[in-house]
């Protein structure tokens, strides 16, 4: 059972304030808060995947806090200017109402490590995007950790709790094609890893790496699995 409307949104802001205060005062407690946020983000993603229509109802409540393009959550008299405002929320609601329920994603430690690597890298200098300072892509980072390159990645920047993170990825305000939302509801993904931390420019960052397998390796067709098939890579060749 989800938290009642007023309590839910107030709780979200309270969690955000606690997270930021602890970040400034207690490094050890901050680490605990980050771990909790990572766990809660995956839980919230799975709730949206398993119960898309219920999540749509939550967005209807969220919609009430808009005045045009400005979002006024309880306890925030200044508001936040969004790119699209209510139309983006309405589009997300329509999507969720038509979305079939999906199985939950399992936590994959290797994907967690790769996601955390990128969160730490970008957070340290205030970067953004999917390419690390050394030029590595999401697949490169998973491969560096011992996996393979077949992954998708979503990134959130800002201040808030797990609900704010996932809500932002689903509404995908200002993002053409709603790519983050598509990642969350990709039926071929069965595993995910979340890495969060402080961000020099935006306050906080959460990176979510998705894959059909626990290590980013390609998914074999069902008939191939039944016959004991395996994936083999051709050795790299040098062009002459």
């Amino acid at each position: 059972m989800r938290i009642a409307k007023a309590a839910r949104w107030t709780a979200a802001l309270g969690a955000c304030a606690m997270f930021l205060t602890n970040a400034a005062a207690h490094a050890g407690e901050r680490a605990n808060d980050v771990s909790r946020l990572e766990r809660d983000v995956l839980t919230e993603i799975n709730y949206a995947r398993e119960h898309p229509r219920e999540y749509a109802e939550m967005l209807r409540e969220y919609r009430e806090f808009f005045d045009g393009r400005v979002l006024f959550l309880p306890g925030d008299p200044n508001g936040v200017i969004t790119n699209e405002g209510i139309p983006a929320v309405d589009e997300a609601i329509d999507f969720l109402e038509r979305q079939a329920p999906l199985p939950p994603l399992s936590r994959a430690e290797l994907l967690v490590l790769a996601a955390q690597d990128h969160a730490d890298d970008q957070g340290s200098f205030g970067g953004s995007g999917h390419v690390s300072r050394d030029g590595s892509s999401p697949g490169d980072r998973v491969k560096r950790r011992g996996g393979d390159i077949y992954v998708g990645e979503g990134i959130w920047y800002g201040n808030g709790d797990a609900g704010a993170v996932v809500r932002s990825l689903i509404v995908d305000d200002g993002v053409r094609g709603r790519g983050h939302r598509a990642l969350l509801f990709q039926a071929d993904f069965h595993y995910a890893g979340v890495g969060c931390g402080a961000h020099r420019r935006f306050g906080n960052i959460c990176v979510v790496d998705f894959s059909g397998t626990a290590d980013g390796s390609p998914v074999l067709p069902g008939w191939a699995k039944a016959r004991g098939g395996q994936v083999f890579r051709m050795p790299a060749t040098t062009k002459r």
Side-chain angles (χ1 to χ4, degrees):
M1 182 175 181
R2 305 300 285 182
I3 301 172
K5 176 169 68 174
R8 174 180 173 79
W9 303 118
T10 303
L13 290 174
C16 174
M18 178 186 70
F19 183 78
L20 295 177
T21 300
N22 288 346
H26 306 290
E29 291 182 22
R30 176 183 170 78
N32 291 333
D33 286 339
V34 168
S35 297
R36 188 180 305 116
L37 179 61
E38 292 166 354
R39 179 199 65 206
D40 290 349
V41 166
L42 184 55
T43 299
E44 191 81 3
I45 289 173
N46 283 334
Y47 180 82
R49 283 172 61 95
E50 294 180 274
H51 309 283
R53 291 187 178 180
E54 287 87 341
Y55 208 93
E57 290 302 316
M58 291 167 51
L59 289 187
R60 283 195 176 89
E61 298 173 1
Y62 173 68
R63 185 185 189 278
E64 296 178 11
F65 299 118
F66 278 85
D67 182 0
R69 290 171 51 217
V70 184
L71 172 65
F72 292 98
L73 286 175
D76 179 17
N78 297 320
V80 176
I81 299 175
T82 64
N83 292 292
E84 301 173 67
I86 290 176
V89 181
D90 287 342
E91 182 192 307
I93 291 171
D94 181 65
F95 170 88
L96 291 168
E97 288 181 332
R98 292 181 289 105
Q99 172 65 45
L102 295 171
L105 300 169
S106 299
R107 181 182 185 275
E109 183 63 27
L110 193 147
L111 299 180
V112 170
L113 293 173
Q116 192 64 59
D117 287 344
H118 195 47
D120 292 343
D121 177 69
Q122 287 204 334
S124 65
F125 74 99
S128 61
H130 296 282
V131 179
S132 299
R133 277 184 292 182
D134 62 3
S136 59
S137 67
D140 294 331
R141 292 188 288 273
V142 174
K143 193 171 183 179
R144 184 183 299 153
R145 284 293 187 172
D148 212 330
I149 63 173
Y150 298 94
V151 297
E153 182 174 86
I155 306 177
W156 170 88
Y157 307 91
N159 295 314
D161 64 353
V165 174
V166 177
R167 187 170 60 243
S168 175
L169 294 173
I170 290 177
V171 174
D172 231 1
D173 175 55
V175 178
R176 183 177 299 178
R178 313 299 188 199
H180 299 102
R181 182 195 303 162
L183 284 172
L184 267 63
F185 293 95
Q186 171 58 255
D188 292 335
F189 289 152
H190 303 291
Y191 296 88
V194 183
C196 302
H199 193 280
R200 182 170 293 184
R201 288 175 58 201
F202 301 121
N204 297 285
I205 176 175
C206 279
V207 179
V208 188
D209 283 346
F210 303 86
S211 183
T213 57
D215 62 355
S217 58
V219 178
L220 284 171
W223 63 265
K225 286 184 179 179
R227 297 181 182 181
Q230 300 181 45
V231 174
F232 293 95
R233 287 191 175 279
M234 295 296 292
T237 58
T238 303
K239 294 183 179 180
R240 297 181 180 179

